[in-house]
Amino acid sequence: MRLVVFDALKRAPAPVFNEKVFCGLGRGLKRTGSLDADGVVSALTNLARFTGLVRSMGVTELTLLATAAVREADNGADFVGQIAERFGLEVQVLSGKAEARLSALGVISGMPDADGIMGDLGGGSLELVELKGGKIGRSATLGLGPLRLIELCHGDRKAAKAEINRQLETVEWLTEAKGRTFYPVGGSWRGLARIHIKQTKYPLTVVHGYEMQSDALQSLASLVSGLGAESLTQTSGVNRRRVETLPFGALVLEQVLRRSRFKRIVFSSCGLREGHLYDLLPKKEQAKDPLIAIAQDISEREGRFPDLGQPLADWSAPLFENEDKEEALLRLAACHLSDFAWREHPEYRAEQALFRILHHPFIGVNHSGRAFMAYAVFLRYGGALNSRRVASILPLMKPKMLRRAQSLGLGLRLAFMLSGGMRGILERTSLAMKPNRVNLVLPSDGSILAGDVVERRLKALADVLELKAGVVVED
């Protein structure tokens, strides 16, 4: 059972409180047909605490969602009735199809163009949903949650493997996924991502958007599915509370990958809860780019000049001819984020900006895009091009993206020194690209002057572009 409180109902809501409690409601469900008695007591006790918290927080809208264990238990309706009687709250018991749909919407909310198959593994069930360019296709719900498999097969992994394959065979369209992308959702599968991140010394610890080749993940899942409790406890990145269930979650994933032969894996931290919130939004709000929504929110909340993101993007545009839509969105997001670290000590602004962007819970961006934004803003705050602080993340970007980040970062550094963050000044100046030169164009009335520092920053930008620098006055 988990309580998550979000800051608002909007395109990219931020969690302000998140607590999970392992109640074990579904323990013994296959054998008894009922929710576990101790689990019910635990759930009701913790629900009392949760309801007290949300009242104190001033939460205006509270939704209770129940999934596999409650919908399948003989006494599930009684449990829901107890909650209504004791707390005056209505529980939405989701069908398997509804659960699959909301989980898929969660992935779409964080990756709007997701295309492939989403798999959400909970304690009692596995939801599989086909995604086609951000749209929901075919779906299936299977009783393959780790807790259920452990009970059904009495902890026997060979028997569990047979049961997994028996159920996967009923999803005929799964074999059509060869060469496509798989989007894993759920704590057990995120745990595998964390193990891989630790073992490979990957520079980011953020799971959302973490990519792997299918063969690599299948090998890792095969390895973990055969480990015992003692080995898992000693494995870096493993949550001790998942020691019992992780091998069975890994076994499910191994068989899904083996059957489907995906090409690429992209992990999603957005699932059912995020999908539910996304589903409540009007279509116009759903259509917003989530990365830009978050970046604008940060700018409005923390920047000195919250309306400067788009003007900075317009001002820097001459540096980036022929950029595609994704490149333009990343550049705009970085522009929105370019002033959020102003409160930090001047000697640490670049480093703090880098760290925050690399680790902020952004959605709508992959890891190379995250590195692009972080590096650009790092340079905007005076970080060195080849600083040891950025050495580990530079390989996340291809050469073209790396050069774009350098150009944008030094361009933003020039823009802020020239304008002092004043939109009116910025909009009366411009950059002009010539065959062998980048020119800073100033108004002819002499109201805006360059100065030594501005000229030095213009030259730094020109050096990265491998051009000469010039300051000209418009005709």
Side-chain angles (χ1 to χ4, degrees), residues 98-159:
E99 183 178 353
R101 175 178 173 275
L102 291 183
S103 294
L105 285 178
V107 172
I108 291 169
S109 75
M111 303 175 185
D113 298 321
D115 192 284
I117 305 293
M118 179 228 66
D120 186 355
L121 185 69
S125 65
L126 168 66
E127 276 66 50
L128 294 167
V129 183
E130 184 179 31
L131 303 175
K132 298 181 178 180
K135 304 295 182 182
I136 295 176
R138 295 169 288 186
S139 66
T141 296
L142 306 175
L144 294 178
L147 290 175
R148 176 171 298 185
L149 279 174
I150 291 170
E151 181 190 355
L152 179 64
C153 302
H154 307 289
D156 185 309
R157 297 181 194 183
K158 184 176 180 180

Side-chain angles (χ1 to χ4, degrees), residues 127-423:
E127 276 66 50
L128 294 167
V129 183
E130 184 179 31
L131 303 175
K132 298 181 178 180
K135 304 295 182 182
I136 295 176
R138 295 169 288 186
S139 66
T141 296
L142 306 175
L144 294 178
L147 290 175
R148 176 171 298 185
L149 279 174
I150 291 170
E151 181 190 355
L152 179 64
C153 302
H154 307 289
D156 185 309
R157 297 181 194 183
K158 184 176 180 180
K161 179 178 178 180
E163 177 62 19
I164 292 166
N165 284 312
R166 185 189 70 78
Q167 293 197 39
L168 288 177
E169 285 177 1
T170 66
V171 188
E172 297 178 357
W173 50 267
L174 196 57
T175 57
E176 300 172 15
K178 180 181 178 181
R180 301 184 72 187
T181 300
F182 185 59
Y183 301 90
V185 179
S188 292
W189 289 352
R190 286 195 299 271
L192 293 174
R194 291 190 182 96
I195 292 173
H196 195 260
I197 287 171
K198 288 279 189 180
Q199 291 183 342
T200 59
K201 298 182 179 179
Y202 186 75
L204 298 183
T205 57
V206 178
V207 171
H208 185 78
Y210 184 61
E211 298 187 20
M212 294 179 65
Q213 292 298 307
S214 183
D215 289 347
L217 182 56
Q218 185 175 321
S219 296
L220 176 61
S222 177
L223 173 65
V224 172
S225 69
L227 293 179
E230 184 176 351
S231 297
L232 283 171
T233 301
Q234 297 174 359
T235 300
S236 179
V238 174
N239 184 331
R240 292 191 176 187
R241 292 184 175 181
R242 295 194 182 276
V243 166
E244 181 186 13
T245 58
L246 186 57
F248 289 86
L251 190 59
V252 173
L253 182 57
E254 179 191 2
Q255 301 312 310
V256 169
L257 297 180
R258 192 180 299 279
R259 180 173 296 270
S260 304
R261 301 176 68 185
F262 297 106
K263 180 179 180 180
R264 190 171 67 118
I265 310 297
V266 182
F267 288 88
S268 172
S269 63
C270 298
L272 186 147
R273 287 175 296 277
E274 292 77 14
H276 172 67
L277 292 181
Y278 182 78
D279 198 32
L280 296 176
L281 295 174
K283 296 296 183 183
K284 184 177 180 180
E285 190 72 12
Q286 288 182 351
K288 291 181 178 179
D289 183 86
L291 175 61
I292 299 303
I294 296 175
Q296 285 179 320
D297 187 56
I298 292 173
S299 175
E300 291 170 3
R301 188 175 64 248
E302 302 185 42
R304 293 171 296 175
F305 317 110
D307 63 343
L308 206 58
Q310 188 62 58
L312 284 168
D314 295 339
W315 190 86
S316 61
L319 301 173
F320 305 98
E321 292 183 353
N322 303 317
E323 66 182 355
D324 59 30
K325 179 182 177 182
E326 182 179 350
E327 291 171 338
L329 282 173
L330 275 176
R331 184 166 61 84
L332 176 57
C335 288
H336 281 302
L337 296 170
S338 62
D339 192 54
F340 81 116
W342 68 274
R343 288 187 176 89
E344 304 291 344
H345 189 284
E347 294 183 10
Y348 300 101
R349 282 176 189 156
E351 184 178 338
Q352 292 298 322
L354 177 76
F355 182 87
R356 288 187 60 188
I357 294 175
L358 287 177
H359 297 93
H360 189 84
F362 290 113
I363 57 176
V365 63
N366 59 22
H367 283 199
S368 61
R370 184 184 288 268
F372 170 89
M373 296 188 300
Y375 187 38
V377 179
F378 174 78
L379 295 176
R380 169 267 184 270
Y381 279 115
L385 287 170
N386 296 311
S387 168
R388 63 182 180 82
R389 302 290 185 187
V390 298
S392 65
I393 67 162
L394 297 186
L396 297 179
M397 295 177 279
K398 293 182 178 180
K400 179 186 176 183
M401 177 178 275
L402 180 64
R403 178 167 171 151
R404 282 173 51 82
Q406 293 173 337
S407 300
L408 178 60
L410 294 176
L412 290 171
R413 187 160 175 76
L414 168 63
F416 275 98
M417 179 54 65
L418 173 68
S419 68
M422 295 295 100
R423 180 171 181 167

Side-chain angles (χ1 to χ4, degrees), residues 79-114:
F79 176 62
V80 169
Q82 288 184 65
I83 293 174
E85 181 179 352
R86 184 169 172 179
F87 304 106
L89 298 173
E90 179 183 354
V91 178
Q92 297 181 33
V93 182
L94 299 175
S95 67
K97 187 172 183 178
E99 183 178 353
R101 175 178 173 275
L102 291 183
S103 294
L105 285 178
V107 172
I108 291 169
S109 75
M111 303 175 185
D113 298 321

